Amino acid sequence: MEQRRFGTAARCGMTDITGDVEQYLHARAADGIQDGFVCIYSPHTTCAVTINEGFDPDVQRDISTFLSKLVPENSGFRHSEGNSDAHVKVSLIGASCLVPVIGGRTALGQWQRVFLCEFDGPRTRTLYFSFIRAE
Amino acid sequence: MEQRRFGTAARCGMTDITGDVEQYLHARAADGIQDGFVCIYSPHTTCAVTINEGFDPDVQRDISTFLSKLVPENSGFRHSEGNSDAHVKVSLIGASCLVPVIGGRTALGQWQRVFLCEFDGPRTRTLYFSFIRAE
Amino acid sequence: MEQRRFGTAARCGMTDITGDVEQYLHARAADGIQDGFVCIYSPHTTCAVTINEGFDPDVQRDISTFLSKLVPENSGFRHSEGNSDAHVKVSLIGASCLVPVIGGRTALGQWQRVFLCEFDGPRTRTLYFSFIRAE
C-alpha cells in the first residue's frame, strides 16, 4: 500500500485528492491495472474520505458546514480531548472509499471528485492507496 | 463494469435493486464467480446506495423521511442549485456498497435488500456493477 | 466467508472486535495472505460496523450516545417493530468496513480499532469475515 501525505488548512474542511488518485494510477501504468477500484483508506480517527461533487466549491463548504451543525463540537461529550465531534463524523462518513477504475483510469462520474474530510485539523494526514481488482 | 439504469419516482425515496444484483450474478454464471462481493457504485453526487431491511416498506419510508428531516432542503446552503441537502446525504450514506456472494449467489442477511437512495429525483440513474473476489 | 458470533450487552453500544480480526488473520497464516483488506460484513439490519478510536472508552460511549440523540427512538416512525431508529443508524454507519492488511497483519492506524455497533440489542450477532487482495 502506498502512503501519501496531505496537509489540511483548518479544523474542518474538504481537500480534493482526485489528482493524487490519478497520479497513483499513472505511476502504476506498468502493473497491468485495468478494472477495479482504488481503495483510499484513512488510518486516522478524526478524518475521513468521501466522494462528492467537486465542480462548485460551495458544495464542499455546504457539506462541511452542515456536518459541523449536525454534530456540534460541544455536545456534552465525555472524551477529554474535546474532539468527539470529529470521531462521530468519521463513523458517519467512513474511513475508506472505493474509486472506480476502468481501463487503468479513474471512472468517476462527471461531477464526482475524491475528498479527504478533515474534522480536527489543521494537521498532516497520511492516506493509504491500493488497487483492488474487479471482474 | 456493467452499467445498469434505474428510474426513480420522487425527489427522495429508496428503490430496491436486489433483483438486479441477482440477475447480474445469474448472467455471469459462466465466469466462475464463487465467493466475494458485488460492488454497487453510484457515479452520481445526489444518489447513494445502501443495504437495509426490505421486508416492511415502512422501513424504507422511515429512513427516507428521517433523512429529509435530518438534512432539511433549506438549511442555509450556499450552492446555487438548491440540492446541497442531497450532496450531504450522499456523503452520509455512501457512493458504494458491497453485497456478499457465496457460491455464486447473493448472501445477504434474511431481512437485507440492496437499495438505490434517491435524494434529488425523479431521474434516470446509472449504477456500476462489478465483482470483487474474496478468499 | 468465515462467520463469527458476538454477544452484545445493551440496546446500543460498541463492541471492539479487533482481536477477532487478528485471530482470523492468524488462523489463515498458511493461505499466503499478504496485502489487502479484511472485509467485515454485517448481515443484520439493526447493527453496523465501523473503525474508530479504541484507546479511550469514552469515545465509544460518546459516539453511541450522540447517535441515540441524533436519531431518537421515538421520531414518529411508522414501522411497527419500533426499531426504525436502528435501521436509520445502520444506513448512516454502514453494513461493512475494510480493515487494511500489510504483510499478513492488520495495518490499522495507531488509535484505530474495529467495532460492531449494536443499535437494537442485546442480541447475538453474526459477522462475515473475508479477505480481499489488493495490489
Side-chain angles (χ1 to χ4, degrees):
Chain A
M1 293 198 194
E2 189 177 315
Q3 299 188 8
R4 288 183 171 242
R5 308 188 82 184
F6 302 89
T8 62
R11 181 163 196 271
C12 294
M14 289 166 73
T15 305
D16 188 330
I17 64 167
T18 316
D20 277 79
V21 183
E22 288 161 353
Q23 268 178 32
Y24 167 79
L25 282 172
H26 188 72
R28 297 206 51 189
D31 296 341
I33 283 175
Q34 287 293 320
D35 296 352
F37 297 90
V38 177
C39 180
I40 313 293
Y41 179 85
S42 160
H44 305 283
T45 58
T46 55
C47 83
V49 284
T50 196
I51 295 172
N52 216 305
E53 208 216 81
F55 184 73
D56 176 3
D58 274 345
V59 173
Q60 300 152 51
R61 277 191 287 261
D62 282 346
I63 295 172
S64 255
T65 305
F66 186 85
L67 289 175
S68 295
K69 275 192 266 183
L70 190 69
V71 190
E73 202 172 337
N74 215 317
S75 302
F77 293 124
R78 288 206 242 173
H79 179 46
S80 59
E81 284 185 88
N83 60 355
S84 278
D85 61 315
H87 292 299
V88 171
K89 290 182 204 168
V90 163
S91 280
L92 291 175
I93 303 301
S96 64
C97 70
L98 296 175
V99 182
V101 176
I102 300 179
R105 296 185 171 200
T106 55
L108 291 160
Q110 185 178 5
W111 309 109
Q112 285 183 323
R113 305 286 287 178
V114 189
F115 296 96
L116 183 163
C117 302
E118 177 62 81
F119 298 128
D120 193 28
R123 299 206 202 185
T124 300
R125 299 295 197 172
T126 302
L127 300 179
Y128 299 169
F129 286 52
S130 61
F131 179 73
I132 294 174
R133 202 170 287 275
E135 309 171 26
Chain B
M1 294 198 192
E2 188 177 316
Q3 299 188 9
R4 288 184 171 240
R5 309 187 82 183
F6 302 89
T8 62
R11 182 163 197 270
C12 295
M14 289 167 74
T15 305
D16 188 330
I17 63 168
T18 316
D20 277 78
V21 182
E22 288 161 354
Q23 268 178 32
Y24 167 80
L25 282 172
H26 188 72
R28 298 205 52 189
D31 296 342
I33 282 174
Q34 286 293 320
D35 295 351
F37 297 91
V38 176
C39 180
I40 312 293
Y41 180 84
S42 160
H44 305 284
T45 59
T46 54
C47 83
V49 284
T50 196
I51 295 172
N52 216 305
E53 207 217 81
F55 183 73
D56 176 4
D58 274 346
V59 173
Q60 301 151 51
R61 277 191 287 260
D62 282 346
I63 295 172
S64 256
T65 304
F66 186 85
L67 289 175
S68 295
K69 275 192 265 183
L70 190 70
V71 191
E73 203 173 335
N74 213 317
S75 301
F77 293 124
R78 289 206 241 174
H79 180 46
S80 59
E81 284 184 88
N83 60 354
S84 277
D85 61 315
H87 293 299
V88 171
K89 290 181 205 168
V90 163
S91 280
L92 291 175
I93 303 301
S96 65
C97 71
L98 296 174
V99 181
V101 175
I102 300 180
R105 296 186 172 199
T106 55
L108 292 160
Q110 184 178 7
W111 309 109
Q112 286 183 322
R113 305 286 288 179
V114 188
F115 295 97
L116 184 163
C117 302
E118 177 62 80
F119 297 129
D120 193 28
R123 299 205 203 186
T124 301
R125 301 295 198 172
T126 302
L127 299 180
Y128 299 170
F129 286 53
S130 62
F131 179 73
I132 294 174
R133 202 170 287 276
E135 310 171 27
Chain C
M1 294 196 193
E2 188 176 317
Q3 299 189 9
R4 288 184 171 240
R5 307 187 83 183
F6 301 89
T8 62
R11 182 164 196 268
C12 295
M14 290 166 73
T15 305
D16 188 330
I17 64 168
T18 316
D20 277 78
V21 182
E22 288 161 353
Q23 269 177 31
Y24 167 80
L25 283 172
H26 188 73
R28 297 206 51 189
D31 296 341
I33 282 174
Q34 287 292 319
D35 296 351
F37 297 90
V38 177
C39 180
I40 312 294
Y41 180 83
S42 160
H44 305 283
T45 58
T46 54
C47 84
V49 284
T50 196
I51 295 172
N52 216 305
E53 208 216 81
F55 183 73
D56 176 3
D58 274 345
V59 173
Q60 301 151 51
R61 278 190 286 261
D62 282 346
I63 295 172
S64 256
T65 304
F66 186 85
L67 289 176
S68 295
K69 276 192 265 182
L70 190 69
V71 190
E73 203 173 336
N74 213 317
S75 300
F77 293 123
R78 288 206 243 174
H79 179 47
S80 59
E81 284 185 89
N83 60 355
S84 277
D85 62 314
H87 293 299
V88 170
K89 291 182 203 167
V90 164
S91 280
L92 291 174
I93 302 301
S96 65
C97 71
L98 296 175
V99 182
V101 175
I102 299 180
R105 296 186 172 200
T106 55
L108 291 160
Q110 185 178 4
W111 309 109
Q112 285 183 324
R113 305 285 289 177
V114 188
F115 295 96
L116 183 163
C117 304
E118 177 62 81
F119 298 128
D120 192 28
R123 297 207 204 185
T124 300
R125 299 296 198 171
T126 302
L127 299 179
Y128 300 170
F129 286 54
S130 62
F131 180 72
I132 294 174
R133 201 170 289 276
E135 309 170 28

